Amino acid sequence: MRRRGRGLLISMYTTKQGDMWDGIAYNIYGDERRMDVLMAANPAWIRTVVFSAGVVLQVPDVAPNVTQNLPPWRRS
């Protein structure tokens, strides 16, 4: 499910037993360092380290990381 929130498109993710912030971020964004985006969008779950099954989290869309050190033809 997708909806708009604060100008961003937001999806929902339902956790599986044993999910953790970094693993969810890696599965969704391809980068575990994006877990801060997930945590900011889900303050009610901020103190959770390992999730039980069935927790519904908001997943905001984020812009892809673009490395400025690369020449323009290598950034995509």
Side-chain angles (χ1 to χ4, degrees):
M1 180 167 79
R2 296 174 78 77
R3 65 181 178 80
R4 288 229 175 250
R6 293 187 212 161
L8 297 173
L9 221 61
I10 297 178
S11 300
M12 305 305 244
Y13 174 83
T14 303
T15 62
K16 299 178 288 287
Q17 179 67 36
D19 272 348
M20 294 172 37
W21 289 110
D22 58 343
I24 297 168
Y26 183 79
N27 288 334
I28 293 170
Y29 300 124
D31 186 351
E32 65 275 2
R33 294 171 293 177
R34 295 285 181 114
M35 68 185 210
D36 62 330
V37 175
L38 293 174
M39 294 172 94
N42 297 281
W45 298 100
I46 200 79
R47 301 187 112 204
T48 302
V49 176
V50 179
F51 286 93
S52 57
V55 175
V56 179
L57 300 175
Q58 294 183 15
V59 179
D61 283 348
V62 295
N65 281 336
V66 176
T67 303
Q68 297 301 320
N69 296 339
L70 295 175
W73 64 88
R74 297 285 313 259
R75 292 183 189 168
S76 51

